[in-house]
Amino acid sequence: MTSSFNQPQNHDAVLGGQGAIPASSVVLGGFEGVKRRLASPVSEHRLEALPESLKYGQKGLFLVVRALNDPSIEVQQEAYHLLQDRPEPRVQQAVQQFYQRSHYTRLESVLAQGQWQEADQETKLALFKACGLTLTEQFPSYRIDDIPCEDLKIIDRLWRKHSGDRFGFSVQASIWQPLQNLLWDKTEVWSRFGGRVGWRTTSFLVDRRWKRYDEITFSLSAPVGHLPFLGDKFGIFTMEAIANRLSVCQID
């Protein structure tokens, strides 16, 4: 009986031609075979090789991390799926960067350019998408619990980074929480919070009221915590739910 030890196995890389396997071909199995398939111009070959890569320790893990930048979206997504629950800090950093790049490129772009109103609108859109809602719907405060922590962390991190820690959900929560702990009257908490972040009018000639969206200050001259405001279909009273969600997500 002819031994099958040197015969090509499923997913072995074969050197020496395409199509039918010539007798003189060299079969590459193991890690070298995985590397060869991940370098294939055929995306299906790269996709199939990814799970096998993780059998080869750190060197295989590195190949999967590198696949987060693969030209094929399907390969990128498979690499993300394989890596998202890995505990290694460097892997988690790569996963977070990939997720941010995949979902929040436009938000980072407008924030980097100081386009604060566009960033506010982009943030609202991102939160609706994260909860499976459309902009034609109202955003009830209880749906904030459906926002994945990863999305909330990225949005908050981008706002803080590009505003010099002036804006962001965690900045707002750091103002909200002490007021909530100090005051028993929720109406008073809202009133003081709105005054602190500049969401209420302060003129003595006008009754203090909550500002309309067109009265919000979309610039760094606004009070700390002024943005994101989100406005229509969110409402100011979602801040309490956001602060609670930040606590669950362990965002300081």
mmCIF file of all heavy atoms in Angstrom, residues 127-155:
data_model
loop_
_atom_site.group_PDB
_atom_site.id
_atom_site.type_symbol
_atom_site.label_atom_id
_atom_site.label_comp_id
_atom_site.label_asym_id
_atom_site.label_seq_id
_atom_site.Cartn_x
_atom_site.Cartn_y
_atom_site.Cartn_z
ATOM 1 N N LEU A 127 -24.708 56.331 17.467
ATOM 2 C CA LEU A 127 -25.440 55.743 18.587
ATOM 3 C C LEU A 127 -26.742 55.094 18.116
ATOM 4 O O LEU A 127 -27.129 54.033 18.620
ATOM 5 C CB LEU A 127 -25.721 56.812 19.647
ATOM 6 C CG LEU A 127 -24.484 57.387 20.345
ATOM 7 C CD1 LEU A 127 -24.894 58.438 21.368
ATOM 8 C CD2 LEU A 127 -23.678 56.285 21.011
ATOM 9 N N PHE A 128 -27.410 55.726 17.169
ATOM 10 C CA PHE A 128 -28.621 55.114 16.607
ATOM 11 C C PHE A 128 -28.279 53.786 15.940
ATOM 12 O O PHE A 128 -28.968 52.783 16.127
ATOM 13 C CB PHE A 128 -29.272 56.064 15.599
ATOM 14 C CG PHE A 128 -30.287 56.994 16.201
ATOM 15 C CD1 PHE A 128 -29.894 58.148 16.859
ATOM 16 C CD2 PHE A 128 -31.640 56.708 16.116
ATOM 17 C CE1 PHE A 128 -30.822 59.002 17.414
ATOM 18 C CE2 PHE A 128 -32.589 57.568 16.675
ATOM 19 C CZ PHE A 128 -32.178 58.711 17.327
ATOM 20 N N LYS A 129 -27.208 53.780 15.143
ATOM 21 C CA LYS A 129 -26.796 52.561 14.452
ATOM 22 C C LYS A 129 -26.434 51.466 15.448
ATOM 23 O O LYS A 129 -26.766 50.295 15.242
ATOM 24 C CB LYS A 129 -25.604 52.854 13.547
ATOM 25 C CG LYS A 129 -25.954 53.562 12.256
ATOM 26 C CD LYS A 129 -24.714 53.716 11.386
ATOM 27 C CE LYS A 129 -25.050 54.328 10.040
ATOM 28 N NZ LYS A 129 -23.832 54.496 9.196
ATOM 29 N N ALA A 130 -25.736 51.844 16.525
ATOM 30 C CA ALA A 130 -25.291 50.864 17.516
ATOM 31 C C ALA A 130 -26.468 50.165 18.177
ATOM 32 O O ALA A 130 -26.334 49.032 18.661
ATOM 33 C CB ALA A 130 -24.411 51.544 18.566
ATOM 34 N N CYS A 131 -27.608 50.830 18.198
ATOM 35 C CA CYS A 131 -28.802 50.251 18.823
ATOM 36 C C CYS A 131 -29.799 49.708 17.806
ATOM 37 O O CYS A 131 -30.891 49.257 18.178
ATOM 38 C CB CYS A 131 -29.490 51.298 19.699
ATOM 39 S SG CYS A 131 -28.551 51.746 21.153
ATOM 40 N N GLY A 132 -29.437 49.768 16.542
ATOM 41 C CA GLY A 132 -30.338 49.255 15.516
ATOM 42 C C GLY A 132 -31.529 50.151 15.259
ATOM 43 O O GLY A 132 -32.584 49.687 14.800
ATOM 44 N N LEU A 133 -31.402 51.438 15.536
ATOM 45 C CA LEU A 133 -32.483 52.392 15.314
ATOM 46 C C LEU A 133 -32.179 53.262 14.100
ATOM 47 O O LEU A 133 -31.028 53.369 13.673
ATOM 48 C CB LEU A 133 -32.665 53.290 16.544
ATOM 49 C CG LEU A 133 -33.045 52.605 17.856
ATOM 50 C CD1 LEU A 133 -33.025 53.610 19.004
ATOM 51 C CD2 LEU A 133 -34.425 51.960 17.745
ATOM 52 N N THR A 134 -33.191 53.880 13.558
ATOM 53 C CA THR A 134 -33.013 54.840 12.468
ATOM 54 C C THR A 134 -33.265 56.234 13.004
ATOM 55 O O THR A 134 -33.928 56.426 14.034
ATOM 56 C CB THR A 134 -33.983 54.562 11.309
ATOM 57 O OG1 THR A 134 -35.324 54.836 11.742
ATOM 58 C CG2 THR A 134 -33.873 53.110 10.856
ATOM 59 N N LEU A 135 -32.772 57.225 12.271
ATOM 60 C CA LEU A 135 -32.920 58.612 12.721
ATOM 61 C C LEU A 135 -34.356 59.105 12.676
ATOM 62 O O LEU A 135 -34.656 60.188 13.174
ATOM 63 C CB LEU A 135 -32.031 59.529 11.879
ATOM 64 C CG LEU A 135 -30.530 59.414 12.139
ATOM 65 C CD1 LEU A 135 -29.754 60.331 11.204
ATOM 66 C CD2 LEU A 135 -30.200 59.748 13.590
ATOM 67 N N THR A 136 -35.235 58.330 12.082
ATOM 68 C CA THR A 136 -36.645 58.728 12.046
ATOM 69 C C THR A 136 -37.342 58.377 13.361
ATOM 70 O O THR A 136 -38.476 58.793 13.593
ATOM 71 C CB THR A 136 -37.382 58.031 10.889
ATOM 72 O OG1 THR A 136 -37.301 56.609 11.059
ATOM 73 C CG2 THR A 136 -36.768 58.418 9.552
ATOM 74 N N GLU A 137 -36.676 57.615 14.222
ATOM 75 C CA GLU A 137 -37.260 57.182 15.486
ATOM 76 C C GLU A 137 -36.781 58.062 16.642
ATOM 77 O O GLU A 137 -35.761 58.738 16.548
ATOM 78 C CB GLU A 137 -36.874 55.725 15.778
ATOM 79 C CG GLU A 137 -37.304 54.741 14.703
ATOM 80 C CD GLU A 137 -36.786 53.342 14.974
ATOM 81 O OE1 GLU A 137 -37.363 52.663 15.842
ATOM 82 O OE2 GLU A 137 -35.808 52.936 14.320
ATOM 83 N N GLN A 138 -37.537 58.048 17.730
ATOM 84 C CA GLN A 138 -37.092 58.678 18.957
ATOM 85 C C GLN A 138 -36.122 57.725 19.648
ATOM 86 O O GLN A 138 -36.231 56.504 19.520
ATOM 87 C CB GLN A 138 -38.285 58.972 19.874
ATOM 88 C CG GLN A 138 -37.971 59.887 21.048
ATOM 89 C CD GLN A 138 -37.758 61.329 20.622
ATOM 90 O OE1 GLN A 138 -38.248 61.760 19.578
ATOM 91 N NE2 GLN A 138 -37.019 62.077 21.429
ATOM 92 N N PHE A 139 -35.171 58.290 20.367
ATOM 93 C CA PHE A 139 -34.205 57.456 21.079
ATOM 94 C C PHE A 139 -34.581 57.430 22.556
ATOM 95 O O PHE A 139 -34.239 58.338 23.312
ATOM 96 C CB PHE A 139 -32.787 58.020 20.922
ATOM 97 C CG PHE A 139 -31.703 57.038 21.262
ATOM 98 C CD1 PHE A 139 -30.900 56.502 20.277
ATOM 99 C CD2 PHE A 139 -31.476 56.637 22.574
ATOM 100 C CE1 PHE A 139 -29.895 55.598 20.568
ATOM 101 C CE2 PHE A 139 -30.496 55.722 22.889
ATOM 102 C CZ PHE A 139 -29.698 55.207 21.882
ATOM 103 N N PRO A 140 -35.286 56.400 23.008
ATOM 104 C CA PRO A 140 -35.661 56.332 24.432
ATOM 105 C C PRO A 140 -34.428 56.083 25.288
ATOM 106 O O PRO A 140 -33.507 55.362 24.889
ATOM 107 C CB PRO A 140 -36.630 55.154 24.483
ATOM 108 C CG PRO A 140 -36.265 54.308 23.317
ATOM 109 C CD PRO A 140 -35.777 55.238 22.246
ATOM 110 N N SER A 141 -34.413 56.678 26.462
ATOM 111 C CA SER A 141 -33.220 56.601 27.309
ATOM 112 C C SER A 141 -32.861 55.163 27.680
ATOM 113 O O SER A 141 -31.673 54.845 27.843
ATOM 114 C CB SER A 141 -33.413 57.437 28.577
ATOM 115 O OG SER A 141 -34.526 56.971 29.326
ATOM 116 N N TYR A 142 -33.857 54.271 27.781
ATOM 117 C CA TYR A 142 -33.535 52.897 28.179
ATOM 118 C C TYR A 142 -32.735 52.162 27.107
ATOM 119 O O TYR A 142 -32.048 51.177 27.394
ATOM 120 C CB TYR A 142 -34.809 52.124 28.523
ATOM 121 C CG TYR A 142 -35.724 51.826 27.362
ATOM 122 C CD1 TYR A 142 -35.503 50.725 26.528
ATOM 123 C CD2 TYR A 142 -36.821 52.628 27.102
ATOM 124 C CE1 TYR A 142 -36.342 50.456 25.463
ATOM 125 C CE2 TYR A 142 -37.670 52.365 26.045
ATOM 126 C CZ TYR A 142 -37.433 51.280 25.224
ATOM 127 O OH TYR A 142 -38.260 51.016 24.167
ATOM 128 N N ARG A 143 -32.775 52.642 25.844
ATOM 129 C CA ARG A 143 -32.017 52.001 24.783
ATOM 130 C C ARG A 143 -30.522 52.262 24.902
ATOM 131 O O ARG A 143 -29.710 51.610 24.232
ATOM 132 C CB ARG A 143 -32.511 52.458 23.414
ATOM 133 C CG ARG A 143 -33.893 51.971 23.029
ATOM 134 C CD ARG A 143 -33.991 50.450 23.022
ATOM 135 N NE ARG A 143 -33.093 49.804 22.080
ATOM 136 C CZ ARG A 143 -33.396 49.520 20.825
ATOM 137 N NH1 ARG A 143 -34.597 49.851 20.353
ATOM 138 N NH2 ARG A 143 -32.538 48.908 20.043
ATOM 139 N N ILE A 144 -30.141 53.209 25.736
ATOM 140 C CA ILE A 144 -28.719 53.485 25.939
ATOM 141 C C ILE A 144 -28.012 52.268 26.506
ATOM 142 O O ILE A 144 -26.820 52.038 26.254
ATOM 143 C CB ILE A 144 -28.540 54.729 26.831
ATOM 144 C CG1 ILE A 144 -28.935 55.976 26.028
ATOM 145 C CG2 ILE A 144 -27.110 54.855 27.344
ATOM 146 C CD1 ILE A 144 -28.970 57.244 26.812
ATOM 147 N N ASP A 145 -28.752 51.438 27.249
ATOM 148 C CA ASP A 145 -28.163 50.202 27.774
ATOM 149 C C ASP A 145 -27.807 49.224 26.660
ATOM 150 O O ASP A 145 -27.061 48.273 26.884
ATOM 151 C CB ASP A 145 -29.126 49.528 28.751
ATOM 152 C CG ASP A 145 -29.237 50.280 30.067
ATOM 153 O OD1 ASP A 145 -28.326 51.076 30.367
ATOM 154 O OD2 ASP A 145 -30.242 50.086 30.773
ATOM 155 N N ASP A 146 -28.335 49.450 25.452
ATOM 156 C CA ASP A 146 -28.041 48.564 24.326
ATOM 157 C C ASP A 146 -26.780 48.974 23.580
ATOM 158 O O ASP A 146 -26.318 48.244 22.696
ATOM 159 C CB ASP A 146 -29.213 48.557 23.339
ATOM 160 C CG ASP A 146 -30.484 47.982 23.953
ATOM 161 O OD1 ASP A 146 -30.369 47.175 24.893
ATOM 162 O OD2 ASP A 146 -31.585 48.351 23.499
ATOM 163 N N ILE A 147 -26.239 50.143 23.909
ATOM 164 C CA ILE A 147 -25.034 50.610 23.219
ATOM 165 C C ILE A 147 -23.845 49.776 23.678
ATOM 166 O O ILE A 147 -23.541 49.728 24.871
ATOM 167 C CB ILE A 147 -24.763 52.098 23.511
ATOM 168 C CG1 ILE A 147 -25.940 52.954 23.058
ATOM 169 C CG2 ILE A 147 -23.475 52.556 22.825
ATOM 170 C CD1 ILE A 147 -25.815 54.416 23.459
ATOM 171 N N PRO A 148 -23.149 49.094 22.784
ATOM 172 C CA PRO A 148 -21.974 48.317 23.192
ATOM 173 C C PRO A 148 -20.929 49.211 23.856
ATOM 174 O O PRO A 148 -20.701 50.348 23.424
ATOM 175 C CB PRO A 148 -21.452 47.746 21.866
ATOM 176 C CG PRO A 148 -22.642 47.738 20.960
ATOM 177 C CD PRO A 148 -23.450 48.943 21.344
ATOM 178 N N CYS A 149 -20.321 48.700 24.899
ATOM 179 C CA CYS A 149 -19.305 49.479 25.616
ATOM 180 C C CYS A 149 -18.186 49.919 24.691
ATOM 181 O O CYS A 149 -17.658 51.033 24.817
ATOM 182 C CB CYS A 149 -18.740 48.666 26.775
ATOM 183 S SG CYS A 149 -19.881 48.460 28.166
ATOM 184 N N GLU A 150 -17.803 49.045 23.764
ATOM 185 C CA GLU A 150 -16.703 49.376 22.863
ATOM 186 C C GLU A 150 -17.017 50.633 22.055
ATOM 187 O O GLU A 150 -16.166 51.506 21.889
ATOM 188 C CB GLU A 150 -16.424 48.213 21.911
ATOM 189 C CG GLU A 150 -15.207 48.415 21.024
ATOM 190 C CD GLU A 150 -13.916 48.565 21.810
ATOM 191 O OE1 GLU A 150 -13.820 48.025 22.925
ATOM 192 O OE2 GLU A 150 -13.002 49.232 21.291
ATOM 193 N N ASP A 151 -18.259 50.745 21.573
ATOM 194 C CA ASP A 151 -18.649 51.935 20.813
ATOM 195 C C ASP A 151 -18.618 53.178 21.689
ATOM 196 O O ASP A 151 -18.120 54.233 21.273
ATOM 197 C CB ASP A 151 -20.043 51.736 20.230
ATOM 198 C CG ASP A 151 -20.069 50.674 19.148
ATOM 199 O OD1 ASP A 151 -20.107 49.481 19.497
ATOM 200 O OD2 ASP A 151 -20.020 51.027 17.972
ATOM 201 N N LEU A 152 -19.153 53.055 22.889
ATOM 202 C CA LEU A 152 -19.192 54.205 23.795
ATOM 203 C C LEU A 152 -17.776 54.652 24.154
ATOM 204 O O LEU A 152 -17.492 55.852 24.221
ATOM 205 C CB LEU A 152 -19.965 53.825 25.060
ATOM 206 C CG LEU A 152 -20.720 54.946 25.782
ATOM 207 C CD1 LEU A 152 -21.666 55.670 24.830
ATOM 208 C CD2 LEU A 152 -21.484 54.392 26.965
ATOM 209 N N LYS A 153 -16.890 53.702 24.365
ATOM 210 C CA LYS A 153 -15.498 54.028 24.699
ATOM 211 C C LYS A 153 -14.810 54.755 23.552
ATOM 212 O O LYS A 153 -14.089 55.736 23.767
ATOM 213 C CB LYS A 153 -14.730 52.755 25.047
ATOM 214 C CG LYS A 153 -15.101 52.139 26.385
ATOM 215 C CD LYS A 153 -14.312 50.849 26.616
ATOM 216 C CE LYS A 153 -14.657 50.230 27.963
ATOM 217 N NZ LYS A 153 -13.926 48.961 28.201
ATOM 218 N N ILE A 154 -15.013 54.273 22.342
ATOM 219 C CA ILE A 154 -14.358 54.893 21.195
ATOM 220 C C ILE A 154 -14.865 56.312 20.984
ATOM 221 O O ILE A 154 -14.081 57.249 20.787
ATOM 222 C CB ILE A 154 -14.589 54.052 19.921
ATOM 223 C CG1 ILE A 154 -13.798 52.744 20.004
ATOM 224 C CG2 ILE A 154 -14.183 54.831 18.674
ATOM 225 C CD1 ILE A 154 -14.085 51.794 18.864
ATOM 226 N N ILE A 155 -16.182 56.492 21.028
ATOM 227 C CA ILE A 155 -16.756 57.826 20.838
ATOM 228 C C ILE A 155 -16.230 58.783 21.897
ATOM 229 O O ILE A 155 -15.801 59.907 21.594
ATOM 230 C CB ILE A 155 -18.293 57.758 20.887
ATOM 231 C CG1 ILE A 155 -18.821 56.986 19.674
ATOM 232 C CG2 ILE A 155 -18.900 59.159 20.928
ATOM 233 C CD1 ILE A 155 -20.302 56.663 19.744
#
